[in-house]
Amino acid sequence: MIPIRGVYEVAIRVRDLARAETFYCQLLGLKVGLRDEQRNWLFLRTGDSSGMIVLQEDQGHWPTQHFAFTVRESEIEQSAQQLRENGIALEGPIVHDWIPAKSVYFEDPDGHALELCAVLPKTI
């Protein structure tokens, strides 16, 4: 069996790369790692550089995706408030006992289902 330790990169399609860049960088705080002008892709790093997403501009039709970003539990309420203040509709926070984690859910400008997920300490 391959000892996979985590997910490093996720690629998502977007219709308007500039609009998506504004959302992911200015609202969610991701940082530009590499701009690939030939393919019209943008590689964005998370705050701790442990992973990244790749925004791939594509004017075609494609299904939306779901993915989650990790945050600290102490930051989830403030993050939810920031999203609301920026006109982003969201659901949560919701506690998932089986993980355990606390999450808020919202959509990006292309309708992808995003999640901020704070892993909670396990209780015995």
Side-chain angles (χ1 to χ4, degrees), residues 17 34-43 56-57:
L17 189 59
L34 175 72
R35 189 178 305 275
D36 184 335
E37 301 284 346
Q38 285 186 308
R39 295 184 288 183
N40 213 16
W41 291 7
L42 183 62
F43 293 77
Q56 301 174 330
E57 189 170 85

Side-chain angles (χ1 to χ4, degrees), residues 12 18 20 28 66 70 72 75 84 86 96 98 102 104 120:
I12 63 168
L28 299 185
H66 165 76
T70 54
R72 291 186 182 100
E75 300 167 329
R84 284 187 201 98
N86 281 277
H96 305 284
W98 67 277
K102 184 187 289 187
V104 294
L120 300 172

